[in-house]
Amino acid sequence: MEFEYSKNVRDVKPSAIREIFKSLSVPGMISFAAGNPSPESFPASDMRRIADGIFASAASEALQYGTTEGYLPLRGQIEDRLKQKFSSCSDGDSVIVTTGGQQGIDLISRVLIDPGDTVVCEDPTFIGALNSFRVCGAKTVGVPMDSDGINTDKLEKVLSDNPRCKLLYLIPTFQNPSGVTCSAEKRREIYRIAASHGVVILEDNPYGELRFSGEDVPTFKSIDTEGIVAYCSSFSKILSSGMRVGFLCGPKALIERAVVVKQANDVHTNLFFQMLVSRYMSECDLDSHIESIRDLYRRKCELMVSELARQLPPEVTFTRPQGGLFLWLTLPRGDSSEFFRLCMDRTVAVVDGKTFQPSPAPCRSVRLNYSTPSDEQIITGVSRLAAAAAEYIGS
Amino acid sequence: MEFEYSKNVRDVKPSAIREIFKSLSVPGMISFAAGNPSPESFPASDMRRIADGIFASAASEALQYGTTEGYLPLRGQIEDRLKQKFSSCSDGDSVIVTTGGQQGIDLISRVLIDPGDTVVCEDPTFIGALNSFRVCGAKTVGVPMDSDGINTDKLEKVLSDNPRCKLLYLIPTFQNPSGVTCSAEKRREIYRIAASHGVVILEDNPYGELRFSGEDVPTFKSIDTEGIVAYCSSFSKILSSGMRVGFLCGPKALIERAVVVKQANDVHTNLFFQMLVSRYMSECDLDSHIESIRDLYRRKCELMVSELARQLPPEVTFTRPQGGLFLWLTLPRGDSSEFFRLCMDRTVAVVDGKTFQPSPAPCRSVRLNYSTPSDEQIITGVSRLAAAAAEYIGS
């Protein structure tokens, strides 16, 4: 039978990044294309001990249905941590545990977006979020990035031009894919603009704990006097991505609606791992574990940056992130898709910058990841990349 | 701020069942309201050993991101089991692992339903499915049940009256909430009607392995010569509900679209537990474990049925299921909500039959669960229920 798909789903494409995974099986391929944390960031031996303890003392609870809102002790711990580390989560807010950070984005989309509504976001931005918006029938409109976050004049204009905009999606810290962090001044200005247009801000902060240089910048949630910010994040980059445990914090009324949608979506998040995260947070030293991840990524990022600076033709520019997993490389001219293919031919995988565009436009950038390749792979991969860039610019 | 919610979400209510959970904390309350499997059905010691083995030999894989389609060995095992046990899953089908059976329903809804489309289902039916359809903006239309499944004359009429129906949702075996199993003859007739109207059948079979008397009936998927059946189920009732591991099997084109939506929804299902289920299936004897669950539920169901027969006023009728978790009790007159409140007052919790209605209508039935209460609770709970019924009918 020919199926008649819903309008929202008919034209949505699978994420190009996950499609690239399939080409990574080419022998000798070095991948800078992943969005994965380093396996060294998983505290596997502590998790193993805790998992065994849950089976020993609480198996019947951990393997049974739980509440949609999430495991109560974990919700409390998340609230406490948001308050302590990010001055976020006020009395007017509540927290729901989600099946990874992705589900937080998807729930907010389903709660707010009618087909034809506009979602405004950074250009470039996270493809997984773009797909959540598109699956809800949203039109996605990008605002170009300056070196300190989106251009606020253009944001003002985009919001004035799109009165059916309900949502402003931002990854203000160590942005995926650009690696850019939005400045504190700019955050206040963006917040003012969003509030004046009655637009909800969805602040996605999966990398917020992974700063390895510079100083922390206040979250949007911490300056949310009007109750317009929903904040999502996860344990994917600090404990385990495969376990799919994230959270969403926002004004109570909004979270109540998100609970109803989550109930219809997956009932609740894997309870065993919610309990595991909760016990990890109370029995282990999460902060010092995160410090070790920061050390690891600082070293890897510095290595990639120094190799890029040493080997690349000088016309090729790139961002120097202060945290997170990614940097963003831009060619002086040409087309990112052509450069992407040249890289793949030289067995180094990157992600074509076009993947991250809210709407099609010329692009000269690609995304590089430094968290997963080994030191040797970073050095060899950058030399392949440099050769590809030299050939591409020369041609 | 007053939020402007999406049209689909604005009027959807939280599941009444999950709301009832909150009143179960009343001291002495006996609950026949759950939809939970018995904790005795979780093979916790085998799962503990396997979990420890995964940490020992494959932690980096199990804690890392996986593919959206699911853990490849598990997908193969699910396909094999569907073929062996249910003559289902042909060469034209593929399988995606889902975050519980609920996500399978939600994915198919998002892939097919535009706001205003009709979903036809049994009346009564599973509230979690109704909410998935409603969150996608569907109009839900019920078809009354006979003792051998939905009335086919009325199905034919409903489909003729609703040309925008894309989906027929059925729980043909040990139906939730009624406990009814659709006969083989009726399945063939329903299939013929659905095919002639170009309607996709979503066959939800979470209890299919839990037959404790009578003989198996072929699934819709096994007679799906036209490629119009999507089949969802889960490991919730045979291994663990809290782990949220289910699956969806259907025509390849439909599953491809479901993968795109799942990617935007939660990226993938908890990988550790996908691997755990896979190892359980290859290292342990799932069939004999299921046999022990069947023995348990047979005994519990027989106890509840005999107590109901012994204690209830004779005008009160109830179904005698051959498997699954539920039976359906019907009063000779009156209103299920009033009876529900009387039961709660007498500290026995049931679920008001109105909860399961595709659209509001008079109702004289409530749902009872026998898988979670102890034998003693079944005996005492039924006596409270009988007293409530006697009072209600007498009043």
Side-chain angles (χ1 to χ4, degrees):
Chain A
M1 189 166 99
E2 279 289 307
F3 298 106
E4 191 190 335
Y5 301 115
S6 66
K7 289 190 186 71
N8 292 346
V9 165
R10 216 165 287 163
D11 302 318
V12 178
K13 301 271 179 304
S15 155
I17 297 173
R18 301 193 75 80
E19 297 305 303
I20 288 175
F21 280 167
K22 292 168 189 167
S23 59
L24 295 185
S25 53
V26 172
M29 181 71 77
I30 290 177
S31 176
F32 297 155
N36 292 8
S38 167
E40 292 174 61
S41 70
F42 309 145
S45 66
D46 282 333
M47 293 176 84
R48 179 180 183 177
R49 182 177 38 75
I50 293 168
D52 203 58
I54 294 171
F55 275 114
S57 68
S60 290
E61 180 183 3
L63 300 174
Q64 186 59 278
Y65 283 116
T67 58
T68 303
E69 291 84 349
Y71 182 58
L72 198 61
L74 178 61
R75 290 172 64 205
Q77 288 165 303
I78 291 168
E79 286 180 17
D80 290 347
R81 194 168 177 88
L82 283 174
K83 283 173 188 160
Q84 270 170 34
K85 299 277 168 185
F86 299 101
S87 307
S88 300
C89 194
S90 72
D91 289 349
D93 293 317
S94 63
V95 163
I96 174 178
V97 179
T98 56
T99 305
Q102 181 74 43
Q103 194 190 36
I105 302 170
D106 199 47
L107 292 177
I108 288 293
S109 303
R110 295 176 83 175
V111 165
L112 292 177
I113 299 170
D114 286 316
D117 283 349
T118 298
V119 175
V120 173
C121 51
E122 294 141 339
D123 180 6
T125 191
F126 172 46
I127 172 70
L130 286 174
N131 275 344
S132 275
F133 307 142
R134 287 166 180 159
V135 167
C136 288
K139 181 179 123 188
T140 55
V141 176
V143 178
M145 303 276 280
D146 300 327
S147 63
D148 62 346
I150 54 170
N151 185 295
T152 45
D153 291 341
K154 289 188 178 140
L155 173 64
E156 181 74 65
K157 181 167 175 357
V158 163
L159 291 181
S160 302
D161 290 350
N162 288 278
R164 283 193 64 189
C165 175
K166 283 189 190 156
L167 192 62
L168 172 61
Y169 172 74
L170 299 169
I171 311 164
T173 303
F174 319 132
Q175 204 245 5
N176 178 6
S178 69
V180 165
T181 294
C182 184
S183 69
E185 301 71 44
K186 198 161 241 187
R187 289 182 194 213
R188 281 189 289 274
E189 179 63 5
I190 292 168
Y191 184 85
R192 191 195 58 74
I193 294 169
S196 74
H197 285 270
V199 167
V200 173
I201 294 174
L202 175 56
E203 176 173 31
D204 188 8
N205 197 23
Y207 319 108
E209 305 241 26
L210 299 182
R211 175 176 290 280
F212 45 70
S213 71
E215 280 184 19
D216 278 338
V217 181
T219 61
F220 280 96
K221 192 71 202 140
S222 71
I223 58 170
D224 183 23
T225 49
E226 311 286 317
I228 60 166
V229 178
Y231 176 101
C232 65
S233 184
S234 80
F235 295 95
S236 294
K237 310 300 187 291
I238 56 177
L239 289 178
S240 155
S241 42
M243 69 179 178
R244 315 304 301 129
V245 179
F247 54 90
L248 178 65
C249 170
K252 284 186 199 298
L254 204 57
I255 299 299
E256 263 173 37
R257 294 278 95 190
V259 169
V260 173
V261 177
K262 181 171 168 67
Q263 203 167 281
N265 180 195
D266 66 2
V267 189
H268 65 81
T269 294
N270 182 295
L271 183 53
F272 188 97
F273 270 88
Q274 290 189 68
M275 292 170 72
L276 198 158
V277 173
S278 173
R279 291 191 182 198
Y280 185 93
M281 289 177 86
S282 55
E283 294 172 20
C284 303
D285 186 347
L286 178 57
D287 286 335
S288 82
H289 172 65
I290 290 172
E291 201 51 53
S292 74
I293 303 174
R294 289 175 175 159
D295 289 343
L296 176 69
Y297 290 173
R298 180 186 301 113
R299 209 174 45 68
K300 282 183 179 288
C301 182
E302 282 173 0
L303 178 63
M304 186 175 269
V305 163
S306 70
E307 288 299 306
L308 288 170
R310 193 171 66 80
Q311 300 198 50
L312 277 182
E315 311 95 292
V316 181
T317 58
F318 52 90
T319 55
R320 281 158 172 84
Q322 299 190 315
L325 308 183
F326 305 111
L327 60 78
W328 187 241
L329 186 143
T330 302
L331 297 161
R333 58 187 171 276
D335 176 81
S336 58
S337 302
E338 287 174 29
F339 180 61
F340 161 77
R341 277 188 294 273
L342 210 59
C343 291
M344 294 296 275
D345 289 346
R346 289 187 178 261
T347 57
V348 58
V350 298
V351 185
D352 183 352
K354 289 180 187 167
T355 308
F356 307 101
Q357 291 179 328
S359 48
C363 178
R364 292 177 287 117
S365 300
V366 296
R367 188 188 77 176
L368 308 187
N369 162 272
Y370 47 77
S371 62
T372 42
S374 68
D375 292 1
E376 204 191 323
Q377 285 174 325
I378 289 176
I379 295 167
T380 311
V382 170
S383 72
R384 292 178 190 172
L385 197 74
E391 182 188 332
Y392 188 68
I393 295 171
S395 70
Chain B
M1 188 166 99
E2 279 289 308
F3 298 106
E4 190 190 335
Y5 302 115
S6 65
K7 289 190 185 73
N8 292 346
V9 165
R10 216 166 287 165
D11 303 318
V12 178
K13 302 271 178 304
S15 157
I17 297 174
R18 302 194 75 80
E19 297 305 301
I20 289 175
F21 280 167
K22 290 168 191 169
S23 60
L24 294 185
S25 54
V26 173
M29 182 70 77
I30 290 176
S31 176
F32 297 154
N36 293 8
S38 167
E40 292 174 63
S41 70
F42 309 145
S45 66
D46 281 333
M47 292 175 84
R48 179 180 184 177
R49 182 177 39 74
I50 292 168
D52 203 58
I54 294 171
F55 275 114
S57 69
S60 292
E61 180 182 2
L63 300 174
Q64 186 58 277
Y65 283 116
T67 58
T68 302
E69 290 85 348
Y71 182 57
L72 199 60
L74 178 61
R75 290 173 64 205
Q77 288 165 304
I78 291 168
E79 286 181 17
D80 289 348
R81 194 167 176 89
L82 283 174
K83 283 173 188 162
Q84 270 170 35
K85 299 276 168 186
F86 298 100
S87 308
S88 299
C89 193
S90 71
D91 289 348
D93 293 317
S94 62
V95 163
I96 174 177
V97 179
T98 56
T99 304
Q102 181 73 41
Q103 194 190 37
I105 301 170
D106 199 46
L107 292 177
I108 287 293
S109 303
R110 295 176 84 176
V111 166
L112 291 177
I113 299 170
D114 287 315
D117 282 348
T118 298
V119 175
V120 172
C121 51
E122 294 141 340
D123 179 7
T125 191
F126 172 47
I127 172 69
L130 287 174
N131 275 344
S132 275
F133 306 142
R134 287 166 180 159
V135 167
C136 288
K139 181 177 122 188
T140 55
V141 177
V143 178
M145 302 277 280
D146 300 327
S147 64
D148 63 345
I150 53 171
N151 185 294
T152 46
D153 291 341
K154 289 186 179 139
L155 173 65
E156 181 75 63
K157 182 167 176 355
V158 163
L159 290 181
S160 299
D161 290 350
N162 289 278
R164 281 192 65 187
C165 174
K166 282 188 191 158
L167 191 62
L168 172 61
Y169 171 75
L170 298 168
I171 312 166
T173 303
F174 320 133
Q175 205 245 4
N176 179 5
S178 69
V180 165
T181 294
C182 183
S183 70
E185 302 70 46
K186 198 160 241 187
R187 289 183 195 212
R188 280 189 291 273
E189 179 63 5
I190 292 169
Y191 183 85
R192 191 195 58 73
I193 295 170
S196 74
H197 285 270
V199 167
V200 173
I201 295 174
L202 176 56
E203 177 174 29
D204 187 8
N205 198 23
Y207 319 108
E209 304 242 27
L210 299 181
R211 175 176 289 280
F212 46 69
S213 72
E215 280 184 20
D216 279 338
V217 181
T219 61
F220 281 96
K221 192 71 202 142
S222 72
I223 58 169
D224 183 23
T225 49
E226 311 287 318
I228 61 166
V229 178
Y231 176 102
C232 64
S233 185
S234 80
F235 295 95
S236 294
K237 309 301 186 292
I238 56 176
L239 289 177
S240 155
S241 42
M243 70 180 178
R244 315 304 301 129
V245 180
F247 53 90
L248 178 65
C249 170
K252 284 185 199 299
L254 204 57
I255 298 299
E256 262 173 37
R257 295 276 96 190
V259 169
V260 173
V261 177
K262 181 171 169 68
Q263 204 167 281
N265 180 194
D266 66 3
V267 188
H268 65 82
T269 294
N270 182 293
L271 183 53
F272 188 96
F273 270 87
Q274 289 189 66
M275 291 170 73
L276 197 159
V277 172
S278 173
R279 289 191 184 198
Y280 185 92
M281 290 176 85
S282 55
E283 294 171 20
C284 302
D285 187 348
L286 178 58
D287 286 335
S288 83
H289 172 66
I290 290 173
E291 201 51 54
S292 73
I293 303 174
R294 288 174 175 160
D295 290 344
L296 176 69
Y297 291 172
R298 180 186 300 113
R299 209 174 45 68
K300 282 183 178 290
C301 181
E302 282 173 359
L303 178 63
M304 184 173 271
V305 163
S306 70
E307 288 300 306
L308 289 170
R310 193 171 66 80
Q311 301 198 48
L312 277 183
E315 311 95 293
V316 181
T317 58
F318 52 91
T319 55
R320 283 159 170 83
Q322 299 189 316
L325 309 183
F326 306 112
L327 59 79
W328 187 242
L329 188 143
T330 302
L331 297 161
R333 56 187 172 276
D335 176 80
S336 58
S337 302
E338 288 174 28
F339 180 62
F340 160 78
R341 278 188 293 272
L342 210 58
C343 291
M344 295 295 276
D345 289 346
R346 291 187 177 260
T347 57
V348 58
V350 299
V351 185
D352 183 352
K354 288 180 188 167
T355 308
F356 307 100
Q357 291 179 327
S359 48
C363 178
R364 293 178 284 117
S365 301
V366 297
R367 188 188 76 176
L368 307 187
N369 162 273
Y370 47 77
S371 61
T372 43
S374 68
D375 292 0
E376 203 191 322
Q377 286 174 324
I378 289 176
I379 295 166
T380 312
V382 170
S383 72
R384 294 179 190 171
L385 196 74
E391 181 187 335
Y392 189 68
I393 294 172
S395 71

